[in-house]
Amino acid sequence: MEVQSAVKDKVEQDKAMALKEETAKTAANTAAKTVKMSGKDVCVYYGEKQALFDVNLDILENSVTSLIGPSGCGKSTFLRCLNRMNDVIDICRVTGEITLEGDDIYDPSLDVVELRARVGMVFQKPNPFPKSIYDNVAYGPRIHGITADRTELDELVESSLQKAGLWNEVKDRVAESGTGLSGGQQQRLCIARAIATKPDVILMDEPCSALDPIATATIEELIDELRANYTIVIVTHSMQQAARVSQRTAFFHLGKIIEEGETTQIFTNPQDEKTQDYITGRFG
Amino acid sequence: MSTEHIVTSYEDELASLDNKIAQMGGLTEHLIADAFDALSKRDAELAVKVISDDDKIDQFELDIEEQAIAMIARRQPMALDLRQIMVAIKITSDLERIGDLGKNMAKRVLSIHSERHPAQLMHGMRSMQELALGQLKDVLDSYAERNTNKALAVWRGDEEIDAIYNSLFRELLTYMMEDPRNIGLCTHLLFCAKNLERIGDHTTNIAENVHYLVLGNPIQEERPKGDKTSQMLVNHDDQD
Amino acid sequence: MQLLTDFFSGLLGLIISPLGVILLLSALAYYFALKKSSGFYAEHGREVHSLPFYNASYVALSIFLPAAVFLLIFSIVAPMVYQSMVETTYQNHLQSLTDFQQSNFINNVFALTTGNITSKSSEMITEASQYLTSLMNVGQYVRWFGTIGFAAIFGFLAYRAVNPRLRARNRVEIIIKTLLIICSIIAILTTIGIVLSLVFESLRFFQKVPITEFLFGMHWSPQTSIRPGQVSAEGSFAALPLIAGTMLITFIAMLVAGPIGLMSAIYLSDYASPKFRSIAKPVLEILAGIPTVVYGFFAALTVAPLIRGWGESIGLSVSSESALAAGLVMGIMIIPLVSSLSDDVINSVPQAMRDGSYGLGATKSETIRQVVLPAALPGIVSAMLLAVSRAIGETMIVVMAAGLAANLTINPLEAVTTVTVQIVTLLVGDQEFDSAKTLAAFALGLLLFVITLTLNVIALRVVQKYREQYE
Ligand SMILES: Nc1ncnc2c1ncn2[C@@H]1O[C@H](COP(=O)(O)OP(=O)(O)OP(=O)(O)O)[C@@H](O)[C@H]1O
Ligand SMILES: [Mg+2]
């Protein structure tokens, strides 16, 4: 009898311990992730046409948030709101509130140029400037005067290229044109260019859409590494990619956010019928 | 299930997966029923048939697993589809275990078919078998219908089987203690009872999987544990 | 001159009627071939190699092209044949005449026959003219029968060949390709012809005036005697002052047009609102449509006096016709050229490139300076060089505003002259065709051609070297 109760006690004890650990873990998870950027009731109009309807989304610090949804649902539009790239489009109008660390980025007193330096962007199609690889990466630092002298700039260029996983491939030819690289290399160059400006947030609009699986894997690996120091928002059409790289996922449909949550939850157990239909390929 | 997949062949594959599980489940039900029949009637011939039937179930398991893996590789399923495929793999493995347990009962028939069965014992065994079989049938229905309530009912019902098992266990112990010549037969019957109890456990597994498949989360309640035989003491004092 | 136009209008009249006939024949053939092939097309459908349209086109082309080629060759060859026949018939008479009189005689005969008034008619000419008339009558028959004959033979063969297996579609393709090749060859040959004539006439000039003097001499005054034997000062033909003048004016013009054109292009493409752009661009293009002579008198009557007055007010002596006035106005004239070409080039820099720069936090002007302009540079350079070629070739403004004085100077306030202006003055008025003065125009033309060609080649090389592949 004694043995039995001892066994029972032990089992009970283990259970309690496990439970404690579990709660501690989840607490740590949520506590570490503060909200970096946040959109409240964001509406976007292209002329008469409304492209986003009251979008609310929090973007957590040091995590990857992926935006998914069918073509034309407003993912790029929302992404471009986050660093005011929509300003470039004449007919585009944004209402609602978007904050970066609590400050409204559409505040008239805010300097757009500075905002974009803090919220960098990588585009769907690699768009290196017709300059040398070095100058491509040094572009941002030079504009913003990030480095004090040439050696510092050299170091920054090298470390950015290294972080983008491109250094080993181009270290002997940084003076050659950036447009002479392959598609995947160009995309990594664009990422290096974005990192070199030392942004807090990196926005990526379908960064792998033109890349082969290996180049895609390199970039996904890179995103995973960058997550430690940056906040990343990525638009992707690949469910698998969203599932692989992101911690949080938001599903857009017809300009609205239908569902938003932990990536694993969205991809194993979505709460909304539409989300389920979309990610399982049942849309229609 | 909501709307259909855009890719019809995907839809077809998922349907065929369900279909195979239904067939495999039906086969398993039959096998258990036959195994118990063979046991109660001491029918060696039927027992042999049961043993060979189990191969079919094993074949089904391989088949479904293969299809599931191919589908994971080719379709990269998400959400409901992912759960369905994962659950299919788990259910088949449970069904396969159930088949094995049935086969094990049939094998025992071969070694005890000449001996006399105490009728009262067989009565307890029968009601346990009926209960287990009913549970299996219900859980397969709940899978086919994606019915969580049914699955939950099965899950809770396992307690009953455990209760019968506990009393059978005690009864068999008593028989064995009464007359050591009973020990051979009773051990076999004890194992058969244990097998039926295990079948109940696998059935609850399936019920849990059905719940997960439909709702995306595991059953939250604490499961009532009815099998107390591990803590049962053999009390020699009774005899004296 | 009169003779020539009459000759051509006569030729045109000759061509018109048989041409009309073969056009009609082709149309008919098209119709019948279409009917025939539609018949078996309806029957066999997809098994038929070519659609009825191709079969019909093939037959129509088979009629039209050989007959048309025959007509063309006939209209070139026939006059030659007539002339040589007249010459052989009146050999004896012609032998008694000088070269000049011989060609005069032939001309007169042709003129009389085609019904033009001749300067003097003689019996011999009238007789020869009657002979020519009979020749031409025979020629008419040859022309009609030849044309219709060709049309009939080829048309028949082609029509007979129409069957379901005929690869009419491919044949039409070949015919079209051949036509295109011929057209481009004509363009190329014409260019080569012009260049060759320039070269040969220039060589004749260099027999009279040494090339070294032409290129390295310091003085330009082409006033030679008009007729051989006339007593006059020998002209001197040194192109250097002209080239210097050309360069000076071009330089001033580019100084005006380059920056203004480029910057207005930048403004239009990157800063202006679409509404403003939609107004400003056409206005700029209207500027390009103003005749240069208008710019010319604007330069001569408005700008030149203005500059003179302004110069004198600060104590500079400005000649009434100055390089500055011509250059300024010429610059204004080529602004639309520069801005519209540059605008195209700047617009063709992908928006993605700009977005990339904005996305890194660059301002608009940083983006333009560091990304857009470098990317557009090859195009801008070639636009500039095109504008330079235009400036070098421009004549009217310079004639009116810069004067004719061939001064070797780099002072923009003095009068200068340019290569093109001198070519004009050399050729204006009655000229003897092989005097040094006339031939000098060819040499200048050749020089101009070499300069613009060099510029174009340089432009091409620049574009190739710095072109960036941004798909
Ligand atoms: N520059 C623009 N002018 C007018 N309408 C636009 C513009 N850009 C986007 N839109 C409209 O806004 C809506 C959302 O476009 P958006 O580019 O955000 O879609 P998306 O989700 O990124 O699609 P995709 O996956 O195809 O990139 C679309 O209906 C589109 O037609
Ligand atoms: Mg998009």
Side-chain angles (χ1 to χ4, degrees):
Chain A
M1 207 61 185
E2 261 167 48
V3 180
Q4 266 197 4
S5 64
V7 168
K8 218 173 189 171
D9 281 356
K10 176 79 179 128
V11 168
E12 222 96 290
Q13 245 173 4
D14 284 357
K15 237 182 199 166
M17 282 282 278
L19 205 70
K20 228 185 231 165
E21 267 171 34
E22 185 79 0
T23 45
K25 231 194 221 159
T26 45
N29 259 352
T30 44
K33 301 275 160 82
T34 53
V35 174
K36 184 81 185 178
M37 292 191 84
S38 149
K40 280 192 191 64
D41 302 326
V42 178
C43 297
V44 176
Y45 305 82
Y46 289 108
E48 292 292 294
K49 189 170 168 284
Q50 189 167 2
L52 285 184
F53 300 82
D54 298 315
V55 169
N56 288 294
L57 185 66
D58 284 347
I59 289 152
L60 302 185
E61 188 158 28
N62 295 345
S63 71
V64 181
T65 305
S66 62
L67 312 181
I68 59 170
S71 202
C73 66
K75 308 176 296 289
S76 303
T77 301
F78 182 72
L79 197 72
R80 291 164 66 90
C81 285
L82 296 178
N83 70 343
R84 293 184 57 178
M85 280 300 281
N86 281 333
D87 291 9
V88 178
I89 301 167
D90 298 315
I91 54 169
C92 186
R93 195 160 56 81
V94 180
T95 66
E97 192 188 40
I98 299 178
T99 55
L100 172 60
E101 291 177 350
D103 304 324
D104 185 2
I105 63 168
Y106 279 86
D107 187 337
S109 65
L110 183 127
D111 181 7
V112 192
V113 167
E114 203 172 303
L115 169 73
R116 290 190 189 139
R118 286 182 63 192
V119 184
M121 187 151 194
V122 176
F123 297 84
Q124 175 173 2
K125 249 172 66 182
N127 55 350
F129 303 134
K131 298 169 174 293
S132 72
I133 293 171
Y134 183 95
D135 288 341
N136 259 289
V137 182
Y139 186 85
R142 277 179 181 148
I143 285 179
H144 301 293
I146 289 173
T147 51
D149 54 27
R150 177 79 195 197
T151 46
E152 217 176 298
L153 184 61
D154 284 349
E155 274 163 24
L156 180 58
V157 168
E158 180 178 336
S159 72
S160 303
L161 282 169
Q162 232 149 19
K163 278 187 208 148
L166 192 61
W167 177 248
N168 286 334
E169 287 159 67
V170 301
K171 62 173 171 234
D172 301 323
R173 48 176 180 143
V174 286
E176 282 174 32
S177 173
T179 49
L181 297 174
S182 78
Q185 289 173 328
Q186 284 186 11
Q187 192 61 293
R188 277 179 281 155
L189 177 62
C190 292
I191 293 175
R193 193 172 71 182
I195 302 170
T197 318
K198 303 208 166 157
D200 300 341
V201 182
I202 302 177
L203 311 174
M204 300 183 169
D205 196 346
E206 297 175 42
C208 301
S209 64
L211 304 186
D212 71 298
I214 299 298
T216 304
T218 335
I219 287 179
E220 285 177 3
E221 164 70 10
L222 169 65
I223 290 173
D224 222 33
E225 282 168 15
L226 291 178
R227 179 158 64 91
N229 302 313
Y230 302 87
T231 302
I232 296 171
V233 185
I234 176 174
V235 169
T236 175
H237 276 297
S238 159
M239 296 305 107
Q240 281 72 30
Q241 182 170 61
R244 286 190 301 257
V245 300
S246 69
Q247 282 73 53
R248 295 190 72 79
T249 299
F251 171 61
F252 282 71
H253 181 48
L254 297 177
K256 298 190 180 91
I257 288 193
I258 302 295
E259 188 172 350
E260 180 257 334
E262 292 272 338
T263 297
T264 30
Q265 178 251 313
I266 296 275
F267 285 105
T268 56
N269 188 19
Q271 297 307 302
D272 194 281
E273 193 88 337
K274 279 204 194 97
T275 320
Q276 169 116 286
D277 283 357
Y278 180 69
I279 61 178
T280 55
R282 285 186 166 90
F283 233 62
Chain B
M1 215 172 291
S2 44
T3 36
E4 299 234 311
H5 276 99
I6 296 165
V7 181
T8 46
S9 61
Y10 190 6
E11 194 70 39
D12 294 346
E13 281 173 26
L14 284 172
S16 103
L17 205 60
D18 267 3
N19 199 9
K20 279 180 189 159
I21 287 176
Q23 284 182 33
M24 184 181 180
L27 214 57
T28 315
E29 276 176 47
H30 264 289
L31 187 134
I32 301 300
D34 284 353
F36 193 80
D37 264 5
L39 183 70
S40 58
K41 293 176 190 154
R42 280 166 286 164
D43 183 343
E45 217 169 292
L46 189 57
V48 170
K49 179 181 169 284
V50 166
I51 290 168
S52 74
D53 272 357
D54 184 52
D55 286 350
K56 283 190 209 155
I57 292 179
D58 290 355
Q59 194 51 49
F60 256 113
E61 190 202 13
L62 287 180
D63 200 25
I64 291 173
E65 255 173 24
E66 198 177 32
Q67 186 184 342
I69 285 175
M71 283 177 75
I72 290 173
R74 292 177 53 211
R75 311 284 184 189
Q76 284 139 18
M78 286 289 185
L80 182 61
D81 303 334
L82 178 62
R83 299 205 300 264
Q84 185 182 339
I85 292 173
M86 289 317 296
V87 162
I89 292 175
K90 288 169 111 176
I91 290 182
T92 40
S93 105
D94 277 328
L95 286 176
E96 192 269 344
R97 285 301 301 151
I98 293 174
D100 281 352
L101 292 169
K103 180 166 99 174
N104 184 270
M105 291 206 301
K107 275 183 183 161
R108 287 178 199 283
V109 173
L110 298 180
S111 44
I112 60 172
H113 76 276
S114 54
E115 287 178 60
R116 171 189 66 93
H117 290 184
Q120 203 191 338
L121 256 185
M122 282 320 287
H123 185 70
M125 290 285 286
R126 165 149 293 119
S127 57
M128 189 176 177
Q129 182 261 353
E130 273 164 8
L131 209 57
L133 203 57
Q135 290 270 67
L136 181 58
K137 191 169 277 164
D138 283 351
V139 86
L140 288 170
D141 285 350
S142 81
Y143 175 76
E145 297 162 15
R146 303 285 191 269
N147 186 337
T148 42
N149 289 335
K150 226 174 211 176
L152 270 175
V154 170
W155 187 72
R156 295 200 184 100
D158 187 49
E159 210 176 355
E160 228 175 305
I161 298 184
D162 288 347
I164 300 182
Y165 175 57
N166 287 341
S167 66
L168 263 178
F169 184 85
R170 203 167 277 131
E171 225 172 302
L172 283 164
L173 274 187
T174 319
Y175 271 106
M176 285 190 260
M177 276 184 271
E178 270 170 9
D179 186 350
R181 278 174 303 173
N182 282 341
I183 288 180
L185 171 69
C186 285
T187 313
H188 279 302
L189 288 182
L190 188 56
F191 272 113
C192 285
K194 180 68 193 166
N195 285 352
L196 287 173
E197 191 270 340
R198 293 295 304 151
I199 289 173
D201 287 349
H202 284 296
T203 310
T204 42
N205 271 353
I206 296 177
E208 280 168 8
N209 283 322
V210 171
H211 186 275
Y212 173 72
L213 165 63
V214 179
L215 297 177
N217 49 17
I219 299 174
Q220 299 294 346
E221 330 168 7
E222 189 80 8
R223 189 163 85 94
K225 278 273 189 282
D227 180 0
K228 302 208 171 66
T229 52
S230 55
Q231 291 148 37
M232 224 171 261
L233 294 178
V234 182
N235 204 339
H236 290 276
D237 302 346
D238 282 0
Q239 281 184 306
D240 294 11
Chain C
M1 229 42 202
Q2 173 76 19
L3 191 84
L4 219 67
T5 48
D6 282 5
F7 184 73
F8 276 119
S9 71
L11 253 183
L12 212 67
L14 284 178
I15 289 172
I16 279 173
S17 44
L19 198 65
V21 169
I22 55 172
L23 276 174
L24 196 72
L25 279 178
S26 318
L28 278 176
Y30 184 90
Y31 173 73
F32 283 113
L34 197 65
K35 236 176 120 179
K36 179 175 174 183
S37 51
S38 299
F40 59 68
Y41 189 75
E43 203 176 314
H44 300 290
R46 287 286 299 143
E47 286 165 36
V48 179
H49 181 274
S50 302
L51 291 176
F53 163 75
Y54 283 111
N55 281 309
S57 303
Y58 171 61
V59 174
L61 284 172
S62 301
I63 288 181
F64 182 77
L65 287 179
V69 167
F70 169 78
L71 265 181
L72 193 72
I73 292 175
F74 183 88
S75 54
I76 294 169
V77 171
M80 297 185 199
V81 174
Y82 296 155
Q83 186 177 342
S84 71
M85 283 179 80
V86 171
E87 274 168 8
T88 42
T89 317
Y90 295 91
Q91 211 170 12
N92 299 336
H93 173 69
L94 282 173
Q95 268 164 6
S96 65
L97 300 173
T98 66
D99 274 3
F100 183 71
Q101 284 167 328
Q102 272 181 16
S103 70
N104 219 19
F105 175 79
I106 297 290
N107 283 347
N108 280 333
V109 170
F110 271 89
L112 189 65
T113 316
T114 49
N116 287 319
I117 308 109
T118 51
S119 46
K120 52 179 186 229
S121 190
S122 71
E123 227 168 273
M124 208 60 175
I125 290 175
T126 322
E127 193 193 315
S129 160
Q130 273 161 6
Y131 173 64
L132 185 59
T133 311
S134 65
L135 271 183
M136 280 183 168
N137 283 337
V138 176
Q140 280 294 351
Y141 284 114
V142 174
R143 199 159 69 110
W144 276 102
F145 280 114
T147 310
I148 294 174
F150 269 103
I153 292 169
F154 282 96
F156 174 71
L157 288 178
Y159 185 78
R160 211 184 49 171
V162 171
N163 71 50
R165 299 255 54 80
L166 179 67
R167 295 167 169 253
R169 194 175 170 202
N170 306 21
R171 291 192 186 186
V172 169
E173 201 63 32
I174 290 170
I175 292 171
I176 287 174
K177 193 175 114 191
T178 318
L179 273 177
L180 295 179
I181 290 175
I182 290 172
C183 287
S184 58
I185 286 177
I186 287 174
I188 293 170
L189 286 183
T190 319
T191 316
I192 292 177
I194 290 174
V195 172
L196 282 184
S197 85
L198 266 183
V199 168
F200 285 118
E201 299 297 335
S202 302
L203 284 180
R204 281 174 66 192
F205 171 72
F206 290 134
Q207 281 161 11
K208 297 186 193 241
V209 177
I211 188 164
T212 46
E213 191 202 317
F214 178 71
L215 287 180
F216 305 114
M218 290 297 198
H219 201 62
W220 173 266
S221 72
Q223 295 316 316
T224 51
S225 51
I226 287 175
R227 287 188 193 290
Q230 190 182 349
V231 185
S232 163
E234 263 304 294
S236 66
F237 298 91
L240 209 54
L242 306 188
I243 291 177
T246 308
M247 291 302 162
L248 182 63
I249 290 181
T250 305
F251 181 74
I252 295 169
M254 290 313 293
L255 226 50
V256 174
I260 295 180
L262 185 59
M263 288 186 190
S264 66
I266 290 172
Y267 178 75
L268 281 182
S269 65
D270 276 79
Y271 286 88
S273 67
K275 209 167 159 192
F276 180 79
R277 188 182 150 84
S278 69
I279 297 168
K281 248 207 132 174
V283 169
L284 260 178
E285 266 142 30
I286 289 173
L287 208 58
I290 296 174
T292 57
V293 76
V294 175
Y295 282 107
F297 62 69
F298 172 60
L301 302 181
T302 314
V303 179
L306 213 69
I307 289 175
R308 208 162 100 103
W310 167 78
E312 272 162 4
S313 73
I314 57 166
L316 285 170
S317 79
V318 182
S319 68
S320 63
E321 296 174 317
S322 66
L324 189 59
L328 282 180
V329 176
M330 195 190 281
I332 291 167
M333 183 193 78
I334 52 181
I335 285 173
L337 181 78
V338 174
S339 88
S340 136
L341 284 176
S342 309
D343 184 48
D344 289 347
V345 173
I346 290 172
N347 261 329
S348 74
V349 173
Q351 180 64 29
M353 210 86 96
R354 294 184 174 90
D355 285 350
S357 174
Y358 295 145
L360 291 171
T363 62
K364 213 157 201 174
S365 75
E366 282 166 346
T367 303
I368 286 166
R369 261 188 299 123
Q370 305 203 24
V371 175
V372 177
L373 286 186
L377 190 68
I380 291 172
V381 167
S382 67
M384 292 294 173
L385 288 177
L386 225 74
V388 168
S389 301
R390 176 79 203 274
I392 289 176
E394 175 52 37
T395 321
M396 216 56 225
I397 295 173
V398 191
V399 173
M400 297 172 83
L404 298 171
N407 293 324
L408 185 56
T409 176
I410 54 163
N411 180 356
L413 302 177
E414 274 182 55
V416 295
T417 190
T418 65
V419 176
T420 49
V421 169
Q422 287 308 314
I423 293 178
V424 173
T425 49
L426 287 174
L427 292 182
V428 171
D430 230 357
Q431 299 292 338
E432 197 182 341
F433 203 58
D434 49 2
S435 77
K437 195 179 152 188
T438 318
L439 290 173
F442 285 98
L444 286 178
L446 186 65
L447 187 66
L448 209 55
F449 173 72
V450 170
I451 291 173
T452 36
L453 185 71
T454 317
L455 280 179
N456 282 339
V457 170
I458 292 172
L460 232 84
R461 293 295 293 272
V462 168
V463 172
Q464 267 166 9
K465 181 144 185 234
Y466 295 103
R467 167 174 294 145
E468 292 297 343
Q469 262 81 32
Y470 40 77
E471 336 92 293

